[in-house]
Amino acid sequence: MTSANSPNLIGNIEQWPIAGSFTISRGAKTEAVVVVAEVRRDGLVGRGECVPYPRYGETPEAALAALRAMQEAVADGLDRMALQAAMPPGAARNALDCALLDLEAKRSGRRIWDLLGRRAPEPCVTAYTISLGSPPVMADAASRAAHRPLLKVKLGGDGDGERIRAVRKAAPQSQLIVDANEAWTESNLEKNLAACAAAGVTLVEQPLPAGNDQALARIDRPLMVCADESVHDRTSLEALRDCYDAVNIKLDKTGGLTEALAMADAARALGFDIMVGCMVATSLSMAPAMLLTPQARFVDLDGPLLLASDRDNGLLYEDSLVYPPDAVLWG
């Protein structure tokens, strides 16, 4: 039975224009569409943000409907541990999980990392994304970002060798990581990996389609390969040990920070390096992921840098250095 002091769950869809456009192998977009969950109780508001991803059959409307379906359970006192079984992993659960964590921190008057017994995040270098395009266009973008220490280069299949050579020439001092977004095939895998290795790339992310990536276990990998679409939560880790050296943990895939932290612990125990990643979104999406950065070898939380503007009280970015969130934003 609910009462006047019961938590109240509200969900909203928001659109945030991107500065220019953001292009990967699956297409381009000019705005980030996010879903925000707010859990209100005793005058306090806990917030969480997610980005429903069509690659996994998600839409903003379906995520919002999934949140609204949880309103009664939240009013009846659902906590984030019970939430893990009450909703499947995915974007909607992420927004609610993070909102409940934010509310928990606000009610206690403590920072969330202290409540969870985790290391406090510190300022760290985030990757900055170079969108997929022609070699000259990508070289121009890389040249303008060449002062940044870590660039994440989106590739897309045919012509990727030329693209990565152009980016390397334009940004000779930056560390490069590559994201193929499942666009390579078994026939061009070794050629593209060799081109990346020749360009001094440190890591290649998800070169082959999820579920068709066993070829990675049969070749000599000349550089680190990281799973993204192939890995979602802890249950998907064990099967990837022969194919990948690292895993990209994104809260929208794990279904929230609660599972993401447990997944990071499990991944490290299995010998994986960790990347903490994001979708293009506001600082409200990035803030919870900052708790994963003490365990991460690579941090890719540049979503707000790709927007025309961020929400109020967003994360502080000094070029590629990102700072932990203030409590007024989250946690």
Side-chain angles (χ1 to χ4, degrees), residues 152 178-181 203-207 226-228 248 250 275:
K152 180 173 181 174
V178 156
D179 187 0
N181 284 115
L203 170 145
V204 171
E205 190 178 344
Q206 197 67 44
C226 177
D228 183 3
N248 188 343
K250 295 177 180 175
M275 174 188 290

Side-chain angles (χ1 to χ4, degrees), residues 88-320:
R93 194 179 81 183
N94 174 35
L96 183 49
D97 183 70
C98 291
L100 290 170
L101 282 160
D102 187 32
L103 183 63
E104 193 175 331
K106 286 180 167 62
R107 295 187 74 199
S108 72
R110 300 170 63 195
R111 296 312 305 267
I112 192 61
W113 44 83
D114 293 328
L115 284 178
L116 298 179
R118 294 278 169 168
R119 282 173 54 192
E122 298 178 354
C124 58
V125 171
T126 178
Y128 181 80
T129 300
I130 305 297
S131 284
L132 177 65
S134 67
V137 168
M138 294 181 72
D140 180 64
S143 177
R144 286 183 274 111
H147 64 287
R148 296 182 182 274
L150 179 61
L151 299 181
K152 180 173 181 174
V153 183
K154 293 288 188 177
L155 295 183
D158 292 339
D160 278 348
E162 188 179 352
R163 290 185 181 99
I164 197 61
R165 285 190 291 271
V167 169
R168 170 50 80 202
K169 185 176 180 180
Q173 302 303 316
S174 300
Q175 183 181 15
L176 301 182
I177 57 179
V178 156
D179 187 0
N181 284 115
E182 303 180 283
W184 295 357
T185 65
E186 288 192 36
S187 62
N188 64 25
L189 172 64
E190 292 183 89
K191 177 184 176 181
N192 283 335
L193 286 175
C196 287
V201 171
T202 302
L203 170 145
V204 171
E205 190 178 344
Q206 197 67 44
L208 298 174
N212 191 31
D213 44 13
Q214 288 303 310
L216 291 166
R218 299 193 295 267
I219 65 169
D220 239 354
R221 301 192 294 270
L223 69 169
M224 292 178 65
V225 180
C226 177
D228 183 3
E229 285 84 357
S230 287
V231 65
H232 290 257
D233 55 17
R234 282 173 288 175
T235 63
S236 53
L237 289 171
E238 183 66 38
L240 303 178
R241 295 179 71 178
D242 294 335
C243 298
Y244 293 98
D245 310 292
V247 293
N248 188 343
I249 300 178
K250 295 177 180 175
L251 272 61
D252 282 316
K253 292 189 302 179
T254 65
L257 180 61
T258 299
E259 172 62 23
L261 290 170
M263 179 180 171
D265 294 341
R268 290 287 297 272
L270 290 172
F272 289 108
D273 279 309
I274 292 172
M275 174 188 290
V276 51
C278 70
M279 307 298 288
V280 182
T282 81
S283 285
L284 185 56
S285 279
M286 308 302 125
M290 285 295 296
L291 271 76
L292 294 163
T293 60
Q295 294 176 273
R297 180 168 176 179
F298 302 97
V299 175
D300 178 25
L301 297 178
D302 66 340
L305 296 178
L306 306 176
L307 299 177
S309 62
D310 194 7
R311 64 175 71 247
D312 292 341
N313 304 304
L315 294 178
L316 172 62
Y317 289 86
E318 292 181 349
D319 282 332
S320 291

